[in-house]
Amino acid sequence: MVVSHIDSVKIIRNSAPYINAHRGKTFVLMFGGEAIEEANFANIIHDIALLNSLGVRLVLVHGARPQIDQRVALRKLETRFHQGIRITDKQTLECVKDAAGSVRAQVEALLTMGLANSPMHGSHIRVCSGNLVVAMPIGVRDGVDFENTGVVRRIDVDGINDHLNDGSIVLLSPMGYSATGEVFNLSHEDVATKAAIALHADKLILFNHHDGIISKEGRLLRNLELDALYPMLDEPFYADERQSLQAIISSLEAGISRCHTVSYRQDGALLQELFTRDGAGSLISQTSYEQLRQAKIEDVGGILKLIKPLEENGILVKRSREHLEQEIEQFALIERDGMTIACAALYPYVEDKMGELACVATHNDYRGGNRGERILDAIKIQAREQGLDFIFVLTTVTAHWFQEQGFVEISLDELPTKKKLLYNFQRKSKVFKLAV
């Protein structure tokens, strides 16, 4: 696909709010050894360098499982696991140190590259690593001695922050060191999780084989809350992702507000996830005591109470209780402690592949908390699931908010024919459209 000069300008302009939002924030990025062997990994490094140049504080945590397996096989050593955890004897530890050191050198070399005509030209990135992870042994479990396999005991927060404050990227390996001078083999998921929590990171971002978290039906789950992940831990379908899911769960439970998963195979997935409205992977947020769900007949009273002030001010078209009861299945809402605080409806025009977004309302006491954006995202997902390409909205007062969400103004002629026949010329509503 050829991107025109105008398209490039639009991309830069549309990314500006995200650039401003991410500047000065701390992100922990986690990728396994499989990502490092992927042909696209050099592009990921280029994108990481761009984040660094935009003022994002970056901690990279790499794994090395396939590289360790290769070295164990070359030395013809016995590979031993218990409860899915590698038992690291002295000989295997040498393979771990060799593999982790090799991967670290590879990542550092890529981040140092600055050839002319390359995305890294002129970047001058400093990469810092070292004894920033203090570890302790797992010990003996079920009568099995894990020897030099360990867990994170402490993250050197001050040391990492010193490097980040200097503008450096911090690189952490899946190894830790003890006060007794021992070296321990760690899981990179454990290192990334403990680092994100200790640093009070703004985001934990995981690279994996898939585009994000995939449903059992094969659909990318773009937006999830923490509660949705707990059942996945026990699902055989998610067995290969269990460690990543647990890392996300532990991070969110400890106060990290957002986690993302993106593909290490898709070029530009990291930038698309962070700098575009729709993203490229999965965004997982903390469990909220505000529930976003489809409306039920029992919600009619709450919706009527919510929209009544807006109807009285002429912002919304008046709806009777009977009308709302008949159309309740079209509504989504956000409920807080039993009270409806936001709602919106989607009326599909299937033959035109368009849907009308209507009755968008947020309680006056709960505005400014991105609830409108949350419910709009839910409507967009519904529209896509129904095979619609666009949603449109008619508004007399809130045009600016819809424009901020990416809607563009259109003429009446672009509306579905059935909707044009119902247009109220006395209200003189403006019409806006958004691709879903």
Side-chain angles (χ1 to χ4, degrees):
M1 181 179 70
V2 178
V3 179
S4 69
H5 169 71
I6 297 300
D7 289 336
S8 298
V9 171
K10 288 181 179 178
I11 291 170
I12 294 172
R13 286 174 177 167
N14 290 338
S15 65
Y18 301 99
I19 294 172
N20 295 328
H22 298 329
R23 185 180 294 113
K25 300 297 176 61
T26 301
F27 295 174
V28 175
L29 275 60
M30 181 184 97
F31 45 87
E34 298 83 2
I36 296 159
E37 295 186 343
E38 181 70 27
N40 186 54
F41 187 67
N43 293 325
I44 293 174
I45 293 294
H46 296 158
D47 294 343
I48 289 171
L50 178 57
L51 290 182
N52 177 255
S53 70
L54 293 174
V56 181
R57 295 155 55 91
L58 296 171
V59 177
L60 312 183
V61 182
H62 73 80
R65 288 192 186 109
Q67 292 82 3
I68 294 171
D69 289 338
Q70 291 165 10
R71 285 158 174 79
V72 168
L74 282 172
R75 299 187 187 192
K76 298 181 179 179
L77 302 176
E78 179 186 0
T79 300
R80 293 184 297 152
F81 289 86
H82 181 67
Q83 296 178 340
I85 303 172
R86 188 191 301 272
I87 299 170
T88 310
D89 57 25
K90 298 301 180 185
Q91 289 180 303
T92 304
L93 182 61
E94 293 305 311
C95 297
V96 171
K97 291 192 286 187
D98 183 19
S102 176
V103 169
R104 184 180 67 191
Q106 182 182 350
V107 174
E108 289 176 345
L110 287 170
L111 284 168
T112 307
M113 184 176 66
L115 296 175
N117 300 320
S118 78
M120 302 285 288
H121 182 57
S123 56
H124 304 298
I125 292 173
R126 286 177 296 177
V127 185
C128 298
S129 55
N131 59 339
L132 298 169
V133 179
V134 178
M136 61 183 182
I138 285 181
V140 179
R141 293 183 183 178
D142 302 326
V144 177
D145 186 353
F146 282 86
E147 301 187 44
N148 281 85
T149 301
V151 293
V152 176
R153 181 177 183 180
R154 180 173 58 84
I155 299 292
D156 185 357
V157 174
D158 291 338
I160 292 175
N161 277 325
D162 285 343
H163 293 311
L164 295 177
N165 292 338
D166 288 338
S168 301
I169 291 177
V170 173
L171 179 62
L172 302 180
S173 297
M175 294 194 305
Y177 309 90
S178 70
T180 58
E182 293 178 280
V183 181
F184 291 98
N185 176 26
L186 310 175
S187 78
H188 68 278
E189 293 92 350
D190 185 31
V191 176
T193 303
K194 298 292 176 55
I197 294 170
L199 292 165
H200 302 291
D202 297 281
K203 291 181 185 292
L204 172 64
I205 302 173
L206 293 72
F207 289 88
N208 60 33
H209 182 76
H210 301 293
D211 289 341
I213 297 177
I214 308 297
S215 72
K216 289 184 286 186
E217 295 75 32
R219 180 170 57 87
L220 174 63
L221 302 174
R222 292 190 175 274
N223 293 277
L224 301 93
E225 291 187 349
L226 174 58
D227 287 344
L229 298 190
Y230 293 117
M232 294 181 183
L233 289 176
D234 300 322
E235 284 278 355
F237 181 80
Y238 295 103
D240 293 339
E241 302 174 48
R242 192 161 289 138
Q243 288 177 293
S244 295
L245 291 173
Q246 187 59 64
I248 295 171
I249 289 171
S250 299
S251 299
L252 292 173
E253 287 179 337
I256 306 301
S257 60
R258 290 187 170 189
C259 294
H260 301 256
T261 65
V262 295
S263 171
Y264 57 69
R265 299 184 301 163
Q266 179 184 340
D267 186 13
L270 176 62
L271 298 183
Q272 188 178 343
E273 179 69 12
L274 293 175
F275 296 103
T276 66
R277 189 176 303 279
D278 294 329
S282 298
L283 165 62
I284 310 97
S285 56
Q286 293 176 1
T287 301
S288 172
Y289 54 96
E290 294 180 1
Q291 182 184 8
L292 193 159
R293 59 174 175 81
Q294 287 298 115
K296 301 176 290 187
I297 193 68
E298 295 86 358
D299 299 310
V300 169
I303 294 175
L304 283 171
K305 186 176 181 180
L306 173 65
I307 65 178
K308 183 178 179 181
L310 299 175
E311 291 176 343
E312 290 175 347
N313 290 329
I315 298 173
L316 293 179
V317 176
K318 289 189 177 182
R319 286 173 169 80
S320 67
R321 176 178 286 272
E322 293 75 16
H323 189 181
L324 195 54
E325 288 175 350
Q326 292 173 1
E327 299 180 345
I328 194 63
E329 293 182 355
Q330 314 300 133
F331 279 77
L333 59 82
I334 297 177
E335 182 183 62
R336 180 186 178 102
D337 291 338
M339 182 176 76
T340 300
I341 62 169
C343 71
L346 175 66
Y347 298 94
Y349 293 80
V350 178
E351 58 278 6
D352 298 280
K353 293 210 166 186
M354 298 180 73
E356 180 182 6
L357 173 65
C359 203
V360 181
T362 303
H363 193 285
N364 193 52
D365 293 342
Y366 297 99
R367 290 177 184 167
N370 294 324
R371 294 175 180 87
E373 288 85 347
R374 283 183 65 202
I375 207 159
L376 174 59
D377 286 341
I379 293 293
K380 287 162 61 179
I381 291 171
Q382 287 184 30
R384 284 194 291 264
E385 290 175 346
Q386 295 180 35
L388 308 180
D389 294 331
F390 297 93
I391 55 176
F392 66 88
V393 64
L394 280 68
T395 181
T396 57
V397 177
T398 54
H400 281 187
W401 185 84
F402 287 108
Q403 288 175 308
E404 289 169 3
Q405 309 313 311
F407 283 79
V408 295
E409 189 170 1
I410 61 174
S411 68
L412 291 178
D413 291 336
E414 295 185 61
L415 289 176
T417 302
K418 292 180 180 178
K419 185 62 186 179
K420 278 191 286 188
L421 296 174
L422 297 173
Y423 182 80
N424 187 338
F425 285 91
Q426 290 183 327
R427 282 180 60 84
K428 296 182 179 178
S429 300
K430 291 186 176 182
V431 187
F432 294 88
K433 182 176 76 170
L434 176 71
V436 296

